[in-house]
Amino acid sequence: LCYRKGKTPRRPALKKTNNVEKDPVGVYCRIRPLGAEDEECCVEMISSSTIQLHAPDGLKANRNGEYKETQYSFTKVFGINTGQMELFEDVARPLVEDLIQCKNGLLFTYGVTGSGKTYTMTGSPGEGGLLPRSLDMLFNSIGPFQAKRFVFKPDDKNGIDIQSQVDALLERQKRDSQQSVPKTPSSRQKADLEFADMITPEESRKSKNIDEDCSYSVFVSYVEIYNNYIYDLLEDAQFDSVRPKPPQSRILREDQNHNMYVAGCTEVEVKSTEEAFEVFWKGQKKRRIANTQLNRESSRSHSVFTVKLAQAPLDADGDYILQDKNQVNVSQLCLVDLAGSERTSRTRAEGSRLREAGNINQSLMTLRTCMEILRENQMCGTNKMVPYRDSKVTHLFKNYFDGEGKVKMIVCVNPKADDYEETLVMRFAEMTQEVEVARPVDRPIYHLAAGRRHRNQGPAGGLIESLPALPPCELVDPTDDQTLPRLIEVLEQRHRIRQMMTEQVKFMLQQFDSQMSSKDTFVHDQQSKLNEKEKVILNQKTEIERLEKKSKTLEYKIDILQKTTEMYEQDKRSLQQELEGQEQMLQKELSERRRMEQRMQGVVTDTKLKWEKECERRVNAKQLEMQNKLWVKDEKLKQLKAIVTENSSGGSFPPEPPKKPERPSRERDHTMPQKRSASPTALPVMFQPKHTTTVPPVRPTHRRSRSAGGEKWVDHKPASNLELDTVMQPIIPNAIKVSTPNEKALSKCHKYVLRHQELASDGEIETKLIKGDVFKTRGGGQAVQFTDIETLKQECPTAPRYNISLKYPGLIMLLRCSVSLQMYFGVLFMINKIEDSI
Ligand code: ADP
Ligand code: MG
């Protein structure tokens, strides 16, 4: 007895969630039989879901045998022998079941003109198409449960209102009074095609899933879309056959559930299949007339027949429909006979017709594009905009694809050769199968106990009817004493029954009351819970606000930090660049310096080597020259000696045997001083300046040292000399002490002494003071003539006695030393000069 008044939206906007169940668009193929048996057939059904196209002979010849045997697959293929009933069972029947279960459906036929679209949808006498069969099944199912006319009333916004029985009755009476001739099947003019001719009684179908506790009502509308304009075919406007006015086109609107509808379109409430079919034929007729009058071609228009089913639950007593608009459930089935899909060229359209044709093709093209994009979006997860709005047909059915519903398409095929080229458009149909549409979900619309419709025919109703009938209570005879007691008895009986009923009702009321109170407490509980939840929500809201503020400040901080980081990074980059530049420069300079150093070293060693060689060469040359001169002089002296000896004949000098003069050579240089060692006079000759003509006087060898005299000395003490612990040390007053002799010192003095240390044969160090005179040479140089040697030697008292005979080897050493000394000076001067020039 209770019901929840919770509002369940009829068709809420579909939420785009992933767990929505989807079904692919059902695409069926129907092959019609050939017009004549001898015609060439180019379509073959190779399985229950596949067809194969064979290129016609003419085409094969034209293309030199290059053709493709194309195959297409569909949800199901219906061959030429498929009857209308079979097609209905497979394709339309599930849609009618859905309609009764409050689910929307869309069914359209697609194909070239003459392929059997209209035949499939409408049918012909004895072979009713899907439309009459669907209507038949619908009315067979809801027949006894239909609401009285005008209880359901379409509003202007694609919804359906509900009004009370009384209002509905008043409206009915008003309509009847306006219609002079009441419309009854008996008085009806015979329609062009009667429904009775369409379907045989044994082919009638009925749904088993009908909810008997609901009341139903059917509304139909019929529109035509021609040249992308929508026309209402059920409009009541009188058609002026003399001066035909172009009919008013309609616009599309979107209702609150996002369904598109034709604004202001006539919706006729129909109560039977016959009535519905009559309305359909009325529209058909109007379409035909308009097309003839306005010179249109019907094959170029789309026709849309919509069956709308409104259902609302009966109240708890099952007497009346619940007066709650929110409980009205509306579903619709659209049956669309699309325009011919052939290409414009084939229709030989001209002028305005061409434009129309273009438009029609355009709307079918849009349908195609929409399907392609939908498929792409669904398969690839893209979110491309589907251009539903580009044509009226696609716009009208937008919500079937975007929202939910069941979509089916029947592709009609004429297998004749002429249609071969057009049949290639079946690729579109095949592709459409991959588009998925959200499956409509079951929605419980009310929460009332089942079986309400028959409630009042139950025990309570029976009780009232079971009251005993009153006996005749007319008193004609005053003596009649039977009538009254019988009446009293019956009345008492009735009274008892009434009391029983009252008690029953009281009991029911009590039960109801207790149920009500428990419901009240339940509602109360829920209310308090709701309040608590609201508080929690409020708290959470403030918390969210706080967090939002915090996140904003944090975002701001992050922003600033990011900017700072960017600045620092920029700085870092520029500094790094600078550093790299500097490093490169440094490297360059370093390598330059290394190269320079190497070059300079090379130059120095080269020059050094050159000069050393040059020096050696010059010394050798000089030596040779001097020796030559010496030799010449010797010769001359000998000759002079010989002359003197000859002249004095027997003087103080004994005659010497003449010697064969010998030319000096380098090899002999070494032995020469040894030969001359006995005659020290020869030694100074070696040191004579180049152009000396006078020979310096010879001094006696054994004389007192004159080192203590007044002359100025150059005291040459080589740095390599060791300091010896001797008592006797030469003391030379007025001496210039040098470690290496130089020209400057020599030019200031007349005497030269070299402190020469060497190892004696007994292993002791011997210091020799080699003395000489300093001369100025003609060339401006200095020459030293060695004159004297003093030897200082330390000896160990335990060593063997000093052997005097070792005196001579010492002298040889001295001579050698003299030669090397001269070379030493020369080289020294030269090196000095080189260094200056560098
Ligand atoms: P469309 O509407 O596609 O232009 P129609 O439905 O008007 O084509 O069909 C053209 C003709 O072919 C009609 O006379 C129709 O009776 C016939 N026809 C079409 N399909 C069939 C079919 N499956 N069985 C028998 N006749 C058919
Ligand atoms: Mg047709």
Side-chain angles (χ1 to χ4, degrees):
L1 281 175
C2 61
Y3 65 89
R4 212 166 74 191
K5 221 179 161 185
K7 184 172 162 181
T8 312
R10 277 175 303 140
R11 302 204 52 233
L14 189 74
K15 276 189 195 136
K16 299 241 157 72
T17 46
N18 288 336
N19 52 10
V20 170
E21 276 194 279
K22 288 191 163 189
D23 291 314
V25 171
V27 180
Y28 303 86
C29 175
R30 185 185 204 184
I31 310 167
R32 61 158 281 187
L34 282 166
E37 276 188 12
D38 55 345
E39 250 185 309
E40 189 187 355
C41 177
C42 60
V43 181
E44 188 195 351
M45 179 179 165
I46 56 170
S47 81
S48 64
S49 63
T50 318
I51 60 162
Q52 176 147 18
L53 301 191
H54 301 285
D57 291 338
L59 203 75
K60 281 182 206 173
N62 284 348
R63 298 199 179 161
N64 298 330
E66 283 176 35
Y67 64 91
K68 264 197 207 156
E69 299 271 293
T70 341
Q71 287 187 2
Y72 295 100
S73 293
F74 299 91
T75 311
K76 193 169 178 183
V77 176
F78 298 96
I80 47 168
N81 296 321
T82 312
Q84 301 281 59
M85 193 61 210
E86 191 187 333
L87 191 75
F88 172 78
E89 286 286 342
D90 274 351
V91 183
R93 189 176 172 156
L95 291 178
V96 180
E97 290 280 5
D98 279 354
L99 180 72
I100 294 168
Q101 300 304 315
C102 309
K103 295 168 189 173
N104 291 346
L106 170 66
L107 171 66
F108 50 89
T109 51
Y110 182 90
V112 296
T113 303
S115 60
K117 296 185 297 293
T118 309
Y119 176 82
T120 301
M121 195 53 91
T122 314
S124 55
E127 291 165 345
L130 302 179
L131 188 144
R133 279 172 205 275
S134 300
L135 286 173
D136 182 50
M137 178 171 161
L138 179 65
F139 283 107
N140 282 343
S141 311
I142 63 163
F145 315 118
Q146 288 192 73
K148 289 248 156 56
R149 212 179 285 271
F150 299 132
V151 169
F152 289 104
K153 204 179 162 199
D155 60 12
D156 291 338
K157 301 173 194 81
N158 206 30
I160 288 196
D161 276 335
I162 197 158
Q163 60 182 354
S164 70
Q165 298 270 21
V166 182
D167 289 340
L169 179 72
L170 285 173
E171 206 165 324
R172 272 202 301 278
Q173 284 174 353
K174 201 167 114 192
R175 189 221 33 198
D176 288 345
S177 66
Q178 280 171 356
Q179 273 183 357
S180 47
V181 189
K183 268 206 165 179
T184 56
S186 58
S187 65
R188 187 180 66 188
Q189 281 181 342
K190 197 164 166 62
D192 302 64
L193 249 180
E194 272 206 71
F195 167 74
D197 301 329
M198 287 282 198
I199 303 158
T200 55
E202 56 271 19
E203 285 179 348
S204 276
R205 290 291 177 270
K206 188 177 173 179
S207 170
K208 291 188 183 76
N209 301 319
I210 194 85
D211 184 357
E212 295 186 2
D213 292 323
C214 274
S215 222
Y216 300 85
S217 207
V218 177
F219 296 86
V220 292
S221 60
Y222 195 20
V223 296
E224 180 182 36
I225 303 174
Y226 188 90
N227 205 12
N228 215 23
Y229 285 108
I230 304 174
Y231 301 102
D232 183 0
L233 291 177
L234 303 183
E235 208 177 9
D236 253 344
Q238 289 296 310
F239 193 81
D240 187 354
S241 54
V242 186
R243 255 189 293 155
K245 271 192 289 181
Q248 194 71 43
S249 72
R250 303 293 168 132
I251 56 161
L252 287 179
R253 285 227 177 95
E254 193 176 326
D255 70 9
Q256 57 175 3
N257 299 316
H258 306 287
N259 287 316
M260 298 306 298
Y261 69 98
V262 181
C265 180
T266 317
E267 285 181 297
V268 183
E269 186 175 12
V270 285
K271 292 287 161 209
S272 68
T273 318
E274 290 82 2
E275 203 186 333
F277 205 64
E278 197 194 317
V279 172
F280 171 72
W281 276 120
K282 192 180 139 198
Q284 276 286 72
K285 198 171 159 191
K286 193 162 177 182
R287 185 182 173 196
R288 245 198 323 273
I289 294 169
N291 287 344
T292 333
Q293 296 281 336
L294 300 168
N295 197 22
R296 287 183 190 162
E297 205 180 310
S298 65
S299 70
R300 315 251 117 241
S301 72
H302 315 281
S303 70
V304 184
F305 187 77
T306 310
V307 185
K308 207 183 239 183
L309 178 68
Q311 47 186 300
L314 290 178
D315 62 11
D317 288 344
D319 288 333
Y320 300 108
I321 299 164
L322 269 183
Q323 295 288 301
D324 180 1
K325 191 181 174 179
N326 291 326
Q327 298 291 353
V328 179
N329 225 308
V330 184
S331 49
Q332 64 178 34
L333 173 62
C334 280
L335 301 167
V336 187
D337 188 356
L338 286 175
S341 63
E342 60 272 6
R343 280 167 292 181
T344 318
S345 59
R346 223 188 104 190
T347 61
R348 276 165 268 126
E350 291 162 18
S352 67
R353 280 250 178 124
L354 182 71
R355 186 168 53 81
E356 291 158 11
N359 263 332
I360 282 149
N361 277 346
Q362 192 57 50
S363 64
L364 289 179
M365 278 297 288
T366 310
L367 180 67
R368 207 161 151 171
T369 315
C370 287
M371 293 300 114
E372 273 165 8
I373 295 177
L374 256 175
R375 185 182 64 145
E376 198 189 318
N377 281 350
Q378 289 174 355
M379 286 183 146
C380 314
T382 49
N383 199 15
K384 280 192 189 169
M385 216 263 290
V386 186
Y388 296 113
R389 284 163 187 274
D390 287 4
S391 96
K392 291 284 188 289
V393 181
T394 48
H395 198 189
L396 184 59
F397 301 124
K398 173 176 167 287
N399 208 46
Y400 278 98
F401 298 102
D402 259 7
E404 56 175 45
K406 229 191 194 119
V407 183
K408 289 188 177 185
M409 176 164 94
I410 301 172
V411 180
C412 297
V413 183
N414 191 347
K416 67 174 183 186
D418 286 357
D419 276 6
Y420 174 75
E421 298 271 341
E422 302 293 346
T423 320
L424 293 174
V425 298
M426 278 195 289
R427 231 174 272 128
F428 153 68
E430 204 182 32
M431 177 275 292
T432 307
Q433 287 177 100
E434 289 168 7
V435 175
E436 290 191 323
V437 174
R439 185 184 298 171
V441 288
D442 290 311
R443 289 191 195 88
I445 47 166
Y446 43 80
H447 305 273
L448 295 171
R452 301 186 300 283
R453 187 177 287 277
H454 304 293
R455 176 155 295 154
N456 287 347
Q457 289 129 43
L463 208 62
I464 291 163
E465 269 145 40
S466 67
L467 285 177
L470 290 176
C473 47
E474 218 174 306
L475 286 172
V476 273
D477 185 5
T479 56
D480 186 358
D481 56 352
Q482 280 192 350
T483 311
L484 277 175
R486 220 185 299 141
L487 190 65
I488 289 165
E489 195 188 329
V490 169
L491 283 173
E492 274 173 352
Q493 222 176 353
R494 279 194 161 206
H495 181 67
R496 273 199 306 276
I497 291 168
R498 261 175 213 282
Q499 267 180 339
M500 239 168 68
M501 275 168 67
T502 319
E503 261 159 38
Q504 221 173 20
V505 168
K506 261 186 197 160
F507 176 71
M508 275 166 72
L509 273 173
Q510 269 169 4
Q511 264 191 342
F512 183 70
D513 271 355
S514 66
Q515 270 178 9
M516 277 297 278
S517 63
S518 71
K519 288 283 159 197
D520 269 356
T521 49
F522 178 72
V523 167
H524 195 72
D525 281 358
Q526 294 294 329
Q527 194 67 44
S528 58
K529 272 185 194 167
L530 203 71
N531 286 346
E532 274 169 28
K533 293 271 173 220
E534 264 171 7
K535 264 184 211 158
V536 172
I537 287 170
L538 210 74
N539 282 347
Q540 280 177 351
K541 263 186 191 163
T542 49
E543 179 67 15
I544 285 169
E545 267 170 26
R546 197 181 61 79
L547 286 175
E548 268 175 3
K549 263 186 207 161
K550 206 173 154 182
S551 92
K552 255 183 207 159
T553 49
L554 283 176
E555 267 171 20
Y556 179 69
K557 275 185 191 168
I558 287 170
D559 215 40
I560 288 174
L561 283 175
Q562 267 174 348
K563 275 180 191 158
T564 323
T565 315
E566 266 169 32
M567 262 158 59
Y568 278 133
E569 264 172 9
Q570 230 170 358
D571 277 5
K572 195 176 131 188
R573 270 200 296 275
S574 62
L575 283 173
Q576 260 174 352
Q577 274 175 0
E578 215 172 292
L579 197 72
E580 273 165 23
Q582 302 260 3
E583 265 174 10
Q584 273 176 1
M585 256 162 69
L586 206 71
Q587 286 291 333
K588 229 159 74 181
E589 273 173 17
L590 270 174
S591 63
E592 188 83 357
R593 215 157 102 185
R594 244 178 267 134
R595 233 179 36 235
M596 199 77 173
E597 265 174 23
Q598 277 172 358
R599 225 174 61 202
M600 289 318 289
Q601 264 176 6
V603 168
V604 168
T605 35
D606 275 6
T607 328
K608 223 171 170 174
L609 273 172
K610 218 167 88 187
W611 280 110
E612 269 173 7
K613 267 185 197 163
E614 181 68 19
C615 285
E616 208 180 306
R617 192 183 60 77
R618 280 190 196 174
V619 166
N620 287 343
K622 209 76 188 164
Q623 223 171 349
L624 206 63
E625 192 192 315
M626 295 302 272
Q627 275 172 1
N628 274 336
K629 275 181 185 169
L630 189 66
W631 178 75
V632 170
K633 274 195 182 145
D634 267 358
E635 272 313 294
K636 275 181 185 171
L637 204 67
K638 273 175 195 162
Q639 278 170 8
L640 205 67
K641 234 179 187 173
I643 293 166
V644 171
T645 339
E646 243 173 64
N647 287 349
S648 59
S649 61
S652 57
F653 297 101
E656 269 184 38
K659 246 191 214 171
K660 202 179 179 241
E662 236 182 296
R663 195 112 188 131
S665 73
R666 270 169 205 267
E667 288 82 60
R668 279 190 332 172
D669 287 352
H670 303 288
T671 53
M672 243 168 67
Q674 246 176 334
K675 276 183 184 169
R676 286 164 194 271
S677 59
S679 158
T681 48
L683 186 66
V685 180
M686 295 280 287
F687 295 88
Q688 261 184 5
K690 218 174 173 183
H691 303 291
T692 309
T693 47
T694 50
V695 181
V698 180
R699 293 169 202 274
T701 318
H702 300 286
R703 59 182 163 75
R704 290 292 308 155
S705 170
R706 288 165 64 192
S707 52
E711 298 109 333
K712 212 148 183 217
W713 286 81
V714 173
D715 183 0
H716 179 193
K717 189 181 178 187
S720 57
N721 276 14
L722 295 172
E723 279 306 324
L724 298 173
D725 192 22
T726 52
V727 182
M728 302 251 295
Q729 291 281 350
I731 300 160
I732 309 163
N734 296 329
I736 298 171
K737 288 190 176 172
V738 290
S739 58
T740 49
N742 56 59
E743 210 175 355
K744 201 177 157 195
L746 284 171
S747 68
K748 285 180 188 163
C749 303
H750 303 100
K751 291 284 184 179
Y752 170 85
V753 62
L754 170 67
R755 297 172 189 234
H756 174 69
Q757 282 184 340
E758 61 181 33
L759 212 60
S761 56
D762 56 356
E764 296 296 337
I765 291 174
E766 207 172 53
T767 307
K768 285 193 158 93
L769 303 176
I770 305 163
K771 290 179 274 181
D773 295 330
V774 179
F775 295 97
K776 281 197 168 50
T777 61
R778 266 183 158 193
Q782 311 292 328
V784 177
Q785 188 183 17
F786 292 106
T787 52
D788 200 6
I789 298 169
E790 280 176 47
T791 306
L792 299 164
K793 194 179 169 193
Q794 271 180 301
E795 262 179 276
C796 180
T798 55
R801 279 283 305 158
Y802 176 66
N803 190 356
I804 197 85
S805 63
L806 288 171
K807 193 174 77 185
Y808 292 98
L811 195 62
I812 293 164
M813 289 285 279
L814 176 70
L815 285 171
R816 275 203 191 140
C817 169
S818 306
V819 173
S820 57
L821 195 69
Q822 191 199 19
M823 282 167 69
Y824 179 60
F825 285 141
V827 172
L828 186 82
F829 297 144
M830 277 171 190
I831 287 172
N832 280 344
K833 272 183 188 158
I834 291 163
E835 274 174 356
D836 284 346
S837 74
I838 284 170

